[in-house]
Amino acid sequence: MALNIVCLDLEGVLIPEIWIAFAEASGIPQLARTTRDEPDYGKLMDWRLDLLREHNLGLHEIQETIAAIDPLPGAREFLDKLRETTQAVILSDTFDQFAQPLMRKLGWPTLLCNTLEVSPDGSIAGYRLRCENTKLTTVRALQSCGFDTIALGDSFNDLGMIRASKEGFLFRSTPAIKADNPDLRAFDEYDDLLAAIRGAL
């Protein structure tokens, strides 16, 4: 019998969107664009890095914003209850240089994410993905190891892992994504989501 593992997104599900917070802190509203708006992650990141260079902003400024971010209300409690019930791993397209202080606030859950290439002057020169199609590839790898996956997220880049899993959910997604995927059950409250996950185990 296969073991279950829940694969969940980070930003928009457990924590606020980092780039939206930085857009507000920096006064650059264009940086608020996320994977909820742009399905092509590479295109989105290249555009973000161009904006950072244009405004002479680097990792330090982003980390200052992240230091003030707290998990979404109820997220830590949800994650604790989930991990009491089954194995869970966070699959995110964020970067380890962003995530560490937030993982501390969430009780150090397992996180698989990407990494930034940072120049000595603190500017962000580029980024390295763990693998292509990071979330879907990871879900398929877990399945190849004997796990049944249950996946959830809020954005375009979560749909692949959601649809590849034995059960998948949208959580606090956009009206457009929900409308385009009417067959996926969508939730806005942690208690409802936890009940659905338990029902899928």
Side-chain angles (χ1 to χ4, degrees):
M1 185 177 72
L3 299 172
N4 289 292
I5 188 166
V6 175
C7 302
L8 59 160
D9 182 32
L10 177 64
E11 294 180 67
V13 173
L14 298 173
I15 66 167
E17 294 279 353
I18 290 171
W19 287 99
I20 290 177
F22 187 61
E24 294 171 356
S26 65
I28 305 171
Q30 299 97 312
L31 284 172
R33 191 167 177 81
T34 72
T35 51
R36 289 179 166 205
D37 311 300
E38 173 54 66
D40 187 328
Y41 184 73
K43 179 180 177 181
L44 177 63
M45 275 306 301
D46 290 343
W47 183 75
R48 285 168 170 168
L49 295 185
D50 285 344
L51 273 174
L52 292 178
R53 293 185 195 102
E54 180 183 333
H55 292 274
N56 198 31
L57 296 169
L59 179 60
H60 175 71
E61 289 81 7
I62 299 173
Q63 287 177 327
E64 282 186 333
T65 295
I66 292 170
I69 294 176
D70 288 321
L72 294 168
R76 171 70 185 266
E77 293 77 11
F78 161 76
L79 196 56
D80 287 346
K81 290 177 184 176
L82 177 63
R83 293 162 72 198
E84 289 173 5
T85 305
T86 187
Q87 297 295 314
V89 59
I90 298 171
L91 305 182
S92 175
D93 281 332
T94 193
F95 305 96
D96 49 8
Q97 295 92 337
F98 290 2
Q100 187 170 5
L102 296 162
M103 293 304 100
R104 181 182 298 111
K105 294 177 181 180
L106 286 170
W108 296 112
T110 299
L111 168 71
L112 302 180
C113 64
N114 304 312
T115 192
L116 292 169
E117 297 171 347
V118 184
S119 300
D121 64 358
S123 62
I124 301 173
Y127 61 95
R128 292 200 308 275
L129 301 180
R130 287 186 297 106
C131 54
E132 289 297 317
N133 299 313
T134 56
K135 297 181 183 186
L136 175 58
T137 300
T138 303
V139 159
R140 286 180 170 158
L142 289 167
Q143 291 167 347
S144 75
C145 297
F147 286 98
D148 275 343
T149 59
I150 298 167
L152 61 106
D154 68 325
S155 298
F156 284 110
N157 65 337
D158 299 313
L159 293 173
M161 71 170 179
I162 289 172
R163 293 202 171 277
S165 295
K166 76 166 185 178
E167 192 82 56
F169 310 108
L170 294 172
F171 185 69
R172 296 182 181 172
S173 190
T174 66
I177 291 174
K178 287 190 281 190
D180 287 344
N181 298 273
D183 58 313
L184 296 179
R185 295 165 67 191
F187 300 97
D188 292 307
E189 301 298 332
Y190 288 118
D191 287 347
D192 296 335
L193 177 62
L194 185 61
I197 293 170
R198 286 173 171 164
L201 292 173

